[in-house]
Every structure is written in C-alpha cells, then in structure tokens.
Amino acid sequence: MSVFAVLDPAVGLAHDVVAALAQVLPTALAIVLFTVCVRLALHPLARAAARGEKSRARLAPRVAELNRKHKGRPEKLQAALAELYREEKASPFAGCLPMLVQIPFFSVMYRLFTTPNDLLGHTLFGAPLGLHVGAAQGAGQWAVFAVLYAGLAAVAYVGFRRARRAQAAQAAQAAQAAKAAEGAPPQPGLALLPYLSFGTVLFAALVPLAAGVYLLTTTTWSAAERAWLYRDGAPEPAGVALV
C-alpha cells in the first residue's frame, strides 16, 4: 500500500469539490478556483508568518547583542533568546508555518492528479489533463505545455529575484551575526536557495498537465501574496516558496 493511501479520504473530498465546480466551469478553471479558495483560507497563516518575520528582523540587532554577550555559553544564550522572543511575542520559526500547512494540501493535490480518475480525462485546449509532456502529440498539445512552463518560469524568476534581493539585504546582518559567533563561516548552501524557485518548472515536467495547472496557480498566488505582505519594504526571508 502506498504511503499516500492515508490521504485518500482528503483526496476523495478534493475530487468531489473540483468535480462539482467542473459541472459549471471548465475543469482546468475548476482546479484554479479550488486552489485559490484553499490558498485564501490559508492566507491568515501567511499574514501571521509575515508579522513574525518582520518581528524577527526588528529583533536582529538585539539577537546579535545577545550572541556577543553570551559568547561561549550556549545555555545562557538559548535562555536569553527564549526570553526575548517571549517578551516580544515573536518566534524564530514563524516563517515555516505556511509551508508546513501547505505540505498536506500539496500532497493531496499530487495524489489527486497522479491517480487515474475522471477529472484527468477532461482537456485544456485539446490537451488531456492527465497527459504528461513526454506523451504530447501535435503542435496544439506542445503549445499548451510550452505556455504552462513559460508561466511557471516567469513566476519562478520573480521569486528568484525577490530571494536574491532578500539575501543582499540580509548580508550585513549575517556578517554581524557571524562576527558575534567568532567568525562562524556562512552556510555554503544559502547562496543556492534562490535557484530553488525554478524547481517547480522541473517538477511540472514530471507530473500530468492538471498538476502543472495547480502548480502555476499556487506559485502565482505565493508570489503575489509575498509581494503584498512585504509591500512596506520590510525585510523578507531569503528563502523561496515552492508551493
């Protein structure tokens, strides 16, 4: 039995909702609308995470000072940091919450669009929603995939640029923190984080067209939501939202 089988009740519910929407809308548009509704329901968590990130950025100088003050005394440092975050009602892990909540939804949608069902027999401009790019035939089907991948690449580029700007804005803060930690070297993998934005394009090439439609919808929402939540110029996390 697949580990994804535990998701079958949620997959069945998602299928019924999308199928109901598909009675009055094209199925691809029903997928888009369902995804938007779920992301809208998750938006309060994203707002809370943004507030947490802004609080963490505001507290960064005090965190650096605590690192300097309690250098070589990790237990004292952890206690001081916990007290600081408690007083300010902030959390160093606030930005992870929306991503963690999205993972079950992403898994449900992946299961829905990779398991044979009646939804995948519907088409988008002549291309079946259950079709993989490797099985595409004719200029029309190839054009559908080309437009989908171009859209995903454009959204990924926006995420890449924002992540690069966030890393540049945090460079001074990271240098100060490294100095406070006796010159601890930066993690080499951090420079590659912005490039993870393009992972959705690669992943879309491995899944049916319906899953690609979902990916384009949810990544576009993530990009727009991120731009809105950090429109005041506040520093944003350097990581990228993949879903």
Side-chain angles (χ1 to χ4, degrees):
M1 180 183 294
S2 169
V3 294
F4 289 106
V6 298
L7 300 173
D8 283 351
V11 172
L13 178 60
H15 171 275
D16 292 344
V17 174
V18 175
L21 292 172
Q23 296 297 318
V24 294
L25 297 171
T27 304
L29 186 57
I31 294 171
V32 171
L33 181 59
F34 178 69
T35 304
V36 167
C37 288
V38 173
R39 291 303 305 268
L40 185 62
L42 295 177
H43 180 67
L45 294 177
R47 291 179 66 89
R51 288 194 298 269
E53 291 289 352
K54 292 175 183 179
S55 295
R56 188 167 64 175
R58 175 173 53 83
L59 295 175
R62 295 174 64 182
V63 171
E65 174 61 22
L66 289 176
N67 274 285
R68 186 197 61 78
K69 181 178 179 181
H70 299 292
K71 186 184 303 182
R73 295 181 295 174
E75 294 182 358
K76 291 279 188 180
L77 175 61
Q78 290 302 319
L81 289 174
E83 178 64 22
L84 174 63
Y85 285 119
R86 183 166 52 250
E87 289 179 354
E88 298 293 333
K89 297 181 180 180
S91 170
F93 307 109
C96 301
L97 184 58
M99 180 66 70
L100 293 177
V101 173
Q102 285 180 51
I103 289 176
F105 174 61
F106 175 80
S107 301
V108 167
M109 299 300 280
Y110 174 82
R111 177 79 169 168
L112 176 61
F113 297 136
T114 56
T115 303
N117 61 74
D118 57 309
L119 295 175
L120 301 184
H122 294 237
T123 62
L124 174 62
F125 297 113
L129 292 174
L131 184 69
H132 286 74
V133 63
Q137 297 179 352
Q141 292 184 357
W142 280 107
V144 170
F145 280 103
V147 171
L148 174 68
Y149 296 153
L152 284 168
V155 176
Y157 181 70
V158 171
F160 170 79
R161 290 290 302 272
R162 292 188 69 88
R164 288 291 295 269
R165 287 198 298 267
Q167 282 190 336
Q170 294 173 4
Q173 176 185 330
Q176 184 178 7
K179 183 178 180 181
E182 295 184 333
Q187 300 180 26
L190 292 180
L192 299 178
L193 279 179
Y195 293 93
L196 293 180
S197 297
F198 297 101
T200 53
V201 184
L202 299 177
F203 185 73
L206 305 176
V207 295
L209 178 60
V213 171
Y214 156 71
L215 284 173
L216 179 58
T217 305
T218 194
T219 53
T220 300
W221 178 281
S222 293
E225 184 177 63
R226 206 175 180 96
W228 171 259
L229 292 175
Y230 294 95
R231 66 190 183 280
D232 56 359
E236 60 180 293
V240 294
L242 297 179
V243 294

